[in-house]
Structure formats: structure tokens, C-alpha cells
């Protein structure tokens, strides 16, 4: 069964509070020409849809909406495809309920 | 930034870190606790059920003070196919007791309160501070930490790693392995707000009574996973989680699954008309006993989710976190009072004490279940729920078919889907793993 196209993650992220650390992304994608299977998996598995394909077919990450779950770390850090850290203290997602 | 030397540094102000810091501070140790969030709880996600016994051992009067939501009087287990659910409900007035056994909580306010007790006990708590590195001496002993606040190293006799499932420090320092897609689940969760009376009417509750629903079946689309619906005072926590390896393999999206779960005809009426106020995601350690790493070494111990101490079968994590944090702290305090150094040999007392507690005993009991659920996920999470649902419908629908014929048809559908051998194999495998 396929994913309902009606699911808009952006709308979900609007409910959350973030303190974005401009200029200090805590997740980075290694430069590549063709994405690995692991990187491609992140397009679907990241719950905040931070990963997207650019026009050249490479995987890019935008961490503004990241919920810091660590899923991409578990999948793509071992292959060296991404670098993952915690945001600097105080920055990032701030759950009111959690 | 901090010149002093501490008896202990605790990394993280979640359930495990707070339990450890509180226990050590109460025993007179000089404790520094570091938390990367703006306030304790701002990074933490849970369902969430709080188990009173483990909390009571830390803060006996917590019932009067802590921000609790509802005490549980009812637990529902649902097996879902796409249109129905087969359910088991256990509800008892016995749970309306003087000192209730389980509560729903909301982590952010709860962790804030828990942290206030840690401060009262005398620990120094610094938020908005990410620990970036463990400091080791030339003999590889852990002697302190470095943070992103600059200011150099902070030293302590022992570092308690309560950094949660995504603990970077321990893995970067090579003290334990990074979690693998096979031993962690990704859970996504929303908070749905409704008037109190509406929640009480929909869940058949009065006052502060509460209900939790755990659901498995076709909602996880053949992956190893579970959904949940927990009633709080004025909101409902709704979420679903599956093994990361399964998400990776199938290409299903977590939010797609959550929305599908919310639209299920058994779930939708419970949350209809609600206002969503948060969308969160978090990993849950699911590897069980076999995934527990080395728990102590020279100058360090690891507690809670960082050590994979989480019972995924029973959805118990915070109580294992609190208990391991408390026990590690007791072992450290014991060494301190004996004026003995925090060597690996001495800190092995923590592991011994943990082995005598329910934490290791429970995880050991289920040591084979994670693997079984994973390798047979299609059967347990897709085929059986569909078969059972069909059998139930067949059983309750009255349509003039003789009952014996109905039973035969049901049996035939099971054998057709799984074969006799498969059925017996699944049953005995499950029984063995459960034992
Ligand atoms: C959806 C969901 C539902 C759950 N439901 C239940 C339930 O109903 N009942 C139950 O008992 N358990 C449940 N659990 C499990 C429970 O949430 C965890 O087991 C528990 O929170 C673990 O506590 P912890 O202290 O080990 O880690 P956490 O609570 O994750 O705390 C770790 C803390 O460390 C901080 N930290 C990490 N790294 C650093 C660093 N480098 N520097 C500074 N700070 C750092 C983090 O910000 C965080 O505050 C659930 C989990 C999820 C995700
Ligand atoms: S940590 Fe989670 S939310 Fe953030 S980018 Fe990775 S997968 Fe996405």
C-alpha cells in the first residue's frame, strides 16, 4: 500500500517550537554524485522530511525542522554518508509536551 | 567555565539522569548534571506511562507533587485489520486505589518537576549545555567532560552517561556500539487536545481515571511495530513505532503510517475534532538483553536507554531508566563512602546490583522475542491479525450458515495462510521466546 499523498509533514512541523541555530547545521550530508541506498532511504524514513533530492539527483538535508530522533544517524552514519551531532546546547526542537 | 572538581558528572536530565543525580546528591555527593535542552524535558519524548513503584523509591511523596495526568484503571490491547479490531480490555475498580500503580504523564512538565527535586537535593544542574566529549587520561580512564560552552575540561571521579538512546559520547569514545537499524524502533507521536469532558465520555472515565490502548496489526503493514492511544487529562497521545530496519526496507513513511493509524475506524472517533499541538519522534531501544553493552569502566557507568535498558515488549523504559540510574548512583555512593577509587573493578558492583533487580531479569526473560518478532514480522503483524479478525467476524455474524461449517472455514483459512507446520512452528516459537 502506498503512502497517502495527503500527508503534509510541513503542517505537522508547524505545531512544534524550534530555536534554529542559523549557520550551524547539526547534520551534514557528504558530497556525492550518486546517492547511496542509505541516503535514498532517508528521503522516506526521516519523520520531519529533512532530506530531499535536488535537481541534480543528490540528497540534501535541511535541518530546520529536525526533531532530533537520530534515525538518519543510525542508518547513514556507519556508511559515512552523513555526519550527525546534537545541536548546540539550547538550540533545536523544544518540546512543550514530549 | 567550572573550576571545581565534582564527585560525579551526570550527562542528561532524562529519567535515568535525574534518578542518578537525585540519588547521589541525597547521599551528599557533589554532583554536576549537564543537559543540552533549554529545560529538562525539552528533548524528551514518551507515550507515556509512569510506573509508580519505581518513582516512589526515588520520591516517596511524588503523588502529591508531580504533574500526573490520569491513573490507569483500564488497559486495552487491540489487534487490528484495516476495518476492525479484536480487543481485550482489562478494567478494574481495584485500580481506583489509595496509591495508584500506573499513571499517564507528559514528559516535558514531568521532567521539569523531577529536575526541581534534583536541584533541591543539592545537585548543580546546567541546561543548554551539550557535552561534546569525554575526557580521558593517559591510561584511558574517564576523568571528565568537555562541553560546547567552552571553558575547558570539567573533572569528576566518575561520569554517569544518561544520554539516552542517541548517546553520542559513549559511542564516540568507543565504550559501546552505535545502535543498529535492527535494534531500535522509530516512534512518531502527536498530542491531540480535546475538552476534558469529551475525553472522559469517549473513554468511559470519571474524574482522573485513565485508559491506555496498545494496538498491533495491519497498521504496521507487516513490519514489527505497535500503535498506542493514551488518554491524558485534556489531551490524547497517539503514536506508532516500527523497527528502523523495517522502515528502511519497506520505504514506508512514519508520518504516513501515523495518519493511517489515526484514520482507522476504531481510532478516528476517539480523536475526532481534536486540536493537534505537537508532532514528535524518538527512537526506542528494542534489542533487549542481547543488545546490552558494557555497562561500566574506569571512571564511567552507562544507564537507561543509552545502555539499551528498555523492555519493548511491555513498553517499559522510563522505569528501567530510573532504576538503573538509581542503582548506579547507589554503587557510586558506596565506593565513595568506602573511599575507594571509581575503577572498573569497583564499579562492577553496579552491574551486580542491576542483575539482582527486575531490570536485567525481565530483559533476560524475553531475550529471544525481539529476534522472533523481527524475522517473522509478516506473520505476527499482518497475516495473523487479518485471520483473527476474519475469524471473529465469521463467529459473530449471523447469516444462516451452520456453526460447524463456520468453524471449519475459519480453521481452513488459518491453515491455508500459514500451513499446519507454520502454525505449530509459530506457536511454539512464540511460547519458547515468551517463557
Ligand atoms: C513514543 C515512546 C513511548 C514510550 N512509552 C513509554 C511508556 O509508556 N512507559 C515507559 O516507561 N517508557 C516509555 N518509553 C521509553 C522511555 O521514554 C525511555 O526509556 C526513557 O525516556 C529513557 O530515559 P533516559 O533517561 O535513559 O533517556 P532520555 O529520557 O532520552 O534522556 C536523555 C537526556 O540526555 C540528554 N542528552 C543527550 N546527550 C547529551 C549531551 N551530549 N549533552 C547533554 N545532554 C545530553 C537529552 O537531551 C535527554 O534529556 C517510550 C518511548 C517513546 C519514544
Ligand atoms: S534526526 Fe530524525 S528528524 Fe532529524 S534529520 Fe535525522 S531522521 Fe530527520
Amino acid at each position: 500500500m502506498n503512502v497517502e499523498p495527503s500527508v503534509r509533514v510541513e503542517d505537522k512541523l508547524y505545531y512544534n517550537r524550534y530555536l534554529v541555530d542559523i549557520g550551524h547545521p547539526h547534520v551534514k550530508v557528504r558530497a556525492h554524485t550518486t546517492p547511496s541506498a542509505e541516503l535514498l532511504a532517508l528521503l522516506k524514513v526521516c519523520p520531519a522530511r529533512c532530506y530531499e533530492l535536488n535537481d541534480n539527483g543528490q540528497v540534501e538535508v535541511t535541518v530546520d525542522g529536525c526533531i532530533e530522533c537520530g534515525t538518519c544517524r543510525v542508518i547513514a552514519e556507519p556508511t559515512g554518508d552523513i555526519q550527525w551531532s546534537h545541536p548546540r546546547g539550547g538550540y533545536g526542537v523544544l518540546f512543550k509536551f514530549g | 567555565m567550572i573550576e571545581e572538581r565534582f564527585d560525579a558528572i551526570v550527562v542528561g536530565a532524562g529519567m535515568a539522569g535525574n534518578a542518578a543525580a537525585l540519588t547521589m546528591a541525597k547521599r551528599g555527593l557533589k554532583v554536576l548534571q549537564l543537559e543540552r535542552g533549554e529545560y529538562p524535558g525539552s528533548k524528551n519524548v514518551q507515550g507515556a506511562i509512569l510506573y509508580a513503584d519505581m518513582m516512589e523509591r526515588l520520591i516517596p511523596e511524588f503523588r502529591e507533587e508531580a504533574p500526573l495526568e490520569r491513573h490507569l484503571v483500564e488497559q486495552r490491547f487491540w489487534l487490528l485489520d484495516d476495518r476492525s479490531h479484536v480487543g481485550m480490555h482489562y478494567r478494574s475498580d481495584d485500580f481506583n486505589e489509595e496509591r495508584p500503580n500506573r499513571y499517564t504523564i507528559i514528559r516535558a512538565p514531568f521532567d521539569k518537576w523531577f529536575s526541581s527535586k534534583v536541584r533541591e537535593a543539592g545537585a548543580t544542574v546546567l541546561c543548554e549545555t551539550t557535552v561534546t566529549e569525554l575526557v580521558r587520561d593517559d591510561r584511558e580512564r574517564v576523568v571528565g567532560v568537555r562541553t560546547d560552552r567552552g571553558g575547558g575540561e570539567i573533572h569528576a571521579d566518575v561520569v554517569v552517561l544518561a544520554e539516552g538512546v542517541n548517546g553520542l559520547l559513549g559511542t564516540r569514545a568507543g565504550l559501546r556500539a552505535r545502535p543498529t537499524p535492527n535494534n531500535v524502533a522509530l516512534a512518531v507521536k502527536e498530542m491531540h487536545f480535546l475538552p476534558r469532558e469529551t475525553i472522559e465520555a469517549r473513554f468511559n472515565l470519571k474524574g482522573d481515571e485513565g485508559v491506555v490502548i496498545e494496538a498491533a496489526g495491519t497498521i504496521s503493514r507487516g513490519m514489527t511495530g505497535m500503535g498506542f492511544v493514551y488518554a491524558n487529562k485534556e489531551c490524547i497521545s497517539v503514536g506508532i513505532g516500527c523497527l528502523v530496519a523495517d522502515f528502511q526496507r519497506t520505504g514506508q513513511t512514519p508520518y504516513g503510517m501515523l495518519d493511517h493509524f489515526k484514520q482507522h475506524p476504531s481510532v478516528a472517533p476517539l480523536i475526532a475534532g481534536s486540536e493537534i499541538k505537537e508532532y514528535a519522534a524518538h527512537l526506542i531501544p528494542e534489542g533487549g538483553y542481547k543488545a546490552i553493552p558494557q555497562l561500566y569502566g574506569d571512571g564511567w557507568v552507562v544507564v537507561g536507554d543509552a545502555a539499551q535498558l528498555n523492555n519493548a515488549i511491555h513498553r517499559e523504559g522510563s522505569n528501567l531508566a530510573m532504576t538503573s540510574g538509581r542503582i548506579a548512583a547507589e554503587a557510586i555512593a558506596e565506593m565513595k563512602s568506602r573511599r575507594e577509587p571509581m575503577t572498573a573493578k569497583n564499579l562492577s558492583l553496579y552491574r551486580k546490583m542491576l542483575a539482582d533487580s527486575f531490570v536485567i531479569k525481565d530483559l533476560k526473560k524475553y531475550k529471544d522475542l525481539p529476534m522472533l518478532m523481527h524475522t517473522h514480522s509478516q506473520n505476527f503483524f499482518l497475516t495473523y491479525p487479518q485471520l483473527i479478525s476474519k475469524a471473529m467476524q465469521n463467529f459473530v455474524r449471523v447469516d444462516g450458515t451452520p456453526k460447524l461449517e463456520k468453524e471449519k472455514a475459519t480453521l481452513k483459512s488459518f491453515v491455508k495462510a500459514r500451513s499446519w507446520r507454520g502454525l505449530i512452528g509459530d506457536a511454539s516459537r512464540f511460547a519458547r521466546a515468551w517463557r
Side-chain angles (χ1 to χ4, degrees):
Chain A
M1 194 189 304
N2 270 324
V3 174
E4 305 71 23
S6 63
V7 181
R8 293 216 346 138
V9 184
E10 299 74 16
D11 295 346
K12 290 183 190 285
L13 301 181
Y14 271 118
Y15 307 132
N16 296 345
R17 215 185 122 214
Y18 294 96
L19 190 62
V20 178
D21 194 358
I22 298 159
H24 293 97
H26 62 282
V27 188
K28 288 177 190 146
V29 175
R30 180 175 61 181
H32 57 276
T33 34
T34 323
S36 64
E38 284 77 16
L39 274 181
L40 289 173
L42 302 185
L43 301 173
K44 290 273 181 71
V45 77
C46 168
R49 206 184 266 158
C50 293
Y51 292 87
E52 268 176 340
L53 272 186
N54 68 15
D55 294 341
N56 299 325
Q58 288 135 10
V59 173
E60 282 181 352
V61 65
T62 313
V63 296
D64 295 4
C66 171
I67 351 183
E68 297 167 33
C69 66
T71 305
C72 59
R73 172 194 176 216
V74 169
I75 293 176
E77 202 186 46
T79 54
D81 281 309
I82 66 163
Q83 276 181 350
W84 198 95
S85 298
H86 293 301
R88 286 197 296 166
Y91 288 99
V93 70
L94 294 162
F95 292 122
K96 292 186 297 275
F97 307 106
Chain B
M1 116 184 129
I2 293 176
E3 302 302 330
E4 309 151 75
R5 197 191 153 80
F6 292 87
D7 292 326
I9 293 173
V10 178
V11 182
M15 290 293 196
N18 284 339
L22 178 75
T23 305
M24 290 189 290
K26 272 189 176 167
R27 299 202 175 194
L29 272 68
K30 197 166 155 191
V31 178
L32 172 68
Q33 188 182 31
L34 301 165
E35 165 59 47
R36 66 189 189 89
E38 184 181 55
Y39 46 86
S42 63
K43 299 291 182 185
N44 302 339
V45 180
Q46 198 183 324
I49 303 175
L50 176 78
Y51 303 89
D53 179 69
M54 292 78 196
M55 193 69 224
E56 214 169 0
R57 282 172 203 232
L58 291 162
I59 304 173
E61 67 285 5
F62 82 94
R63 288 188 181 81
E64 286 89 68
E65 297 184 8
L68 303 169
E69 292 292 315
R70 294 174 176 278
H71 69 271
L72 297 180
V73 297
E74 182 174 334
Q75 168 104 35
R76 306 182 186 170
F77 298 98
W78 284 0
L79 200 58
L80 308 176
D81 73 359
D82 288 340
R83 298 167 54 81
S84 33
H85 78 260
V86 182
M88 188 179 92
H89 295 195
Y90 182 66
R91 184 181 178 112
S92 172
D93 201 35
D94 290 349
F95 291 124
N96 278 316
E97 56 207 324
E98 186 84 12
R99 304 163 74 72
N101 178 256
R102 299 188 305 159
Y103 296 88
T104 49
I105 57 164
I106 300 176
R107 273 298 290 273
F110 186 86
D111 287 15
K112 259 193 203 164
W113 167 82
F114 198 170
S115 177
S116 74
K117 303 306 274 187
V118 175
R119 284 174 213 251
E120 272 172 36
T124 305
V125 183
L126 274 190
C127 290
E128 299 188 295
T129 309
T130 302
V131 180
T132 48
E133 204 186 341
L134 290 175
V135 179
R136 302 214 253 181
D137 67 8
D138 48 9
R139 289 166 58 191
E140 292 292 293
R141 292 179 302 204
V142 173
V143 293
V145 300
R146 227 185 263 277
T147 76
D148 64 352
R149 289 232 189 162
E153 302 171 356
I154 316 173
H155 292 131
D157 293 341
V158 62
V159 176
V160 178
L161 294 165
E163 45 181 343
V165 62
N166 265 317
L168 290 182
L169 297 171
T171 50
R172 276 188 189 158
L175 307 180
R176 61 170 187 273
R178 185 194 298 107
T180 64
N182 275 325
N183 64 20
V184 283
L186 166 64
V188 285
K189 164 177 175 263
E190 287 176 357
M191 292 301 259
H192 286 251
F193 280 74
L194 282 163
R196 217 190 142 116
E197 312 77 67
T198 312
I199 293 182
E200 282 155 21
R202 286 182 188 177
F203 286 87
N204 189 19
L205 302 169
K206 59 177 195 304
D208 284 346
E209 289 176 343
V211 172
V212 291
I213 305 173
E214 313 282 359
T218 56
I219 42 160
S220 71
R221 301 170 180 178
M223 303 189 269
T224 311
M226 294 254 284
F228 61 89
V229 180
Y230 294 173
N232 302 313
K233 275 194 181 125
E234 288 171 354
C235 63
I236 300 171
S237 310
V238 187
I240 187 163
C242 283
L243 266 193
V244 169
D246 283 354
F247 276 122
Q248 193 179 352
R249 180 173 51 81
T250 59
Q252 296 284 353
T253 64
Y255 35 86
M257 270 180 48
L258 178 59
D259 280 30
H260 197 231
F261 181 49
K262 279 160 54 186
Q263 285 158 16
H264 190 282
S266 299
V267 176
L270 295 173
I271 53 171
S274 63
E275 186 194 350
I276 306 176
K277 292 200 181 168
E278 193 162 87
Y279 169 64
H282 205 273
L283 295 179
I284 306 178
E286 302 244 325
Y289 185 73
K290 291 178 177 169
I292 300 174
Q294 175 68 28
L295 293 173
Y296 59 87
D298 286 324
W300 63 274
V301 292
V302 56
V303 295
D305 274 10
Q308 288 264 345
L309 300 173
N310 198 311
N311 184 340
I313 311 292
H314 285 252
R315 254 185 208 293
E316 289 176 34
S318 61
N319 54 339
L320 277 66
M322 283 189 279
T323 304
S324 59
R326 173 176 61 79
I327 290 178
E330 286 169 357
I332 290 168
E334 171 76 24
M335 288 310 132
K336 183 80 188 165
S337 70
R338 288 198 221 150
R339 296 177 182 280
E340 289 189 12
M342 301 294 168
T343 56
K345 185 161 168 274
N346 284 336
L347 290 172
S348 67
L349 176 65
Y350 160 45
R351 169 78 214 205
K352 276 191 218 94
M353 288 164 71
L354 206 61
D356 285 338
S357 74
F358 78 97
V359 173
I360 297 285
K361 286 185 181 153
D362 282 0
L363 290 175
K364 209 167 185 171
K365 174 178 189 300
Y366 294 121
K367 66 183 186 319
D368 295 325
L369 262 181
M371 195 57 191
L372 174 68
M373 286 295 155
H374 185 35
T375 47
H376 291 72
S377 64
Q378 283 282 335
N379 297 332
F380 288 116
F381 294 92
L382 200 62
T383 313
Y384 283 125
Q386 282 167 335
L387 287 170
I388 290 170
S389 171
K390 222 154 106 205
M392 275 312 289
Q393 177 153 149
N394 207 11
F395 186 78
V396 292
R397 196 188 276 281
V398 173
D399 56 6
T401 318
K403 303 297 182 226
L404 189 64
E405 249 171 65
K406 283 193 164 202
E407 279 169 28
K408 274 189 186 152
T410 296
L411 188 61
K412 221 165 121 192
S413 68
F414 271 72
V415 176
K416 190 166 165 234
R418 282 294 295 137
S419 84
W420 276 111
R421 239 183 120 142
L423 286 172
I424 293 165
D426 289 342
S428 72
R429 272 189 289 266
F430 188 76
R432 244 182 293 133
W434 190 267
R435 199 174 44 202

